[in-house]
Amino acid sequence: IGAPIMVHAAHRNPTVPEHYVTPMAIHDTLIHEIDVLRWLLDDDYVSARVLFPRKAARSHGKLRDPQVVVLETAKGVLIDVEIFVNCHYGYDIQCEVVCENGTVKLPDPYAVVRRSRPAGWDSVQPAESMPIMTDWKERFIEAYDIEFCKWVESVHAGKLTGPSSWDGYVACVAGDALNASRGTSQFLKVETMEKPELYK
């Protein structure tokens, strides 16, 4: 479907505890998207910015929620990700990649769709509904199991595969740039040290 042009994503949690503060939306939540989108696009980040829409009512004094981040890559792909950690309704991960000739979108988890009217609620309109997950383990436990198995297999084979320390470092640098951009009206550069030969 051609080269990627834009990515639209969302990371929503039903709630977070009181000790979860604004920078944690980047370092504890968005860090997964920062890491996986770089891998998915095979591209590096060059600039980063955090924007704040109106604060949600369920947010507390030390947390600006939701947040929207915008990342630009070296190949010119623009990425926007919504982080909403008090959305209340469930655990909802979304991702759509817009390419030159089409789009590809992460599907919602499979669920049985129910059509009903609650018993004794004659005044309520019948509705079609499906359950929404409330925890990451419901959505990603199988993926984690596969990842761990692949890692064990690579150790047994004596050839490590998957993400490296360099990938973790780059994700942290991008996260730091995003948090540093809070309160400014500009994109900040995502600048890493020179990539060591070990990772080339």
Side-chain angles (χ1 to χ4, degrees):
I1 58 173
I5 297 170
M6 294 178 286
V7 177
H8 308 294
H11 191 139
R12 303 180 186 122
N13 290 10
T15 187
V16 290
E18 282 286 317
H19 70 266
Y20 187 106
V21 294
T22 301
M24 294 172 76
I26 305 299
H27 288 135
D28 289 33
T29 301
L30 180 75
I31 196 71
H32 302 292
E33 281 79 7
I34 292 173
D35 186 41
V36 78
L37 292 175
R38 182 174 162 267
W39 166 82
L40 180 68
L41 298 170
D42 189 25
D43 202 353
D44 282 312
Y45 303 120
V46 294
S47 67
R49 183 177 179 195
V50 175
L51 301 166
F52 295 106
R54 190 177 99 185
K55 189 174 178 178
R58 289 187 183 85
S59 186
H60 59 78
K62 294 182 180 177
L63 174 62
R64 288 291 306 267
D65 186 49
Q67 299 179 36
V68 176
V69 306
V70 181
L71 294 158
E72 183 183 9
T73 73
K75 296 176 186 174
V77 178
L78 284 181
I79 301 165
D80 63 84
V81 187
E82 167 203 324
I83 314 152
F84 190 6
V85 295
N86 284 293
C87 77
H88 190 63
Y89 71 85
Y91 180 74
D92 190 7
I93 303 299
Q94 301 289 328
C95 183
E96 180 181 25
V97 182
V98 178
C99 300
E100 294 172 313
N101 305 314
T103 67
V104 60
K105 187 174 182 180
L106 187 68
D108 285 325
Y110 174 77
V112 174
V113 177
R114 183 175 79 182
R115 295 179 181 189
S116 66
R117 175 183 285 178
W121 290 69
D122 292 335
S123 62
V124 175
Q125 183 74 21
E128 183 175 88
S129 65
M130 58 184 276
I132 296 175
M133 295 177 174
T134 57
D135 187 81
W136 70 267
K137 291 184 282 292
E138 295 175 273
R139 176 86 188 255
F140 292 115
I141 196 65
E142 184 179 358
Y144 270 76
D145 288 347
I146 292 168
E147 182 180 16
F148 288 137
C149 289
K150 292 291 183 189
W151 180 79
V152 170
E153 289 169 9
S154 73
V155 171
H156 280 290
K159 184 178 179 183
L160 295 179
T161 59
S164 67
S165 298
W166 178 257
D167 297 312
Y169 163 74
V170 172
C172 288
V173 170
D176 288 346
L178 283 164
N179 270 326
S181 79
R182 284 185 289 115
T184 73
S185 58
Q186 60 187 356
F187 283 88
L188 295 185
K189 289 183 179 179
V190 178
E191 296 180 300
T192 62
M193 69 171 103
E194 185 177 342
K195 191 173 186 178
E197 285 296 323
L198 171 67
Y199 299 109
K200 292 182 181 176

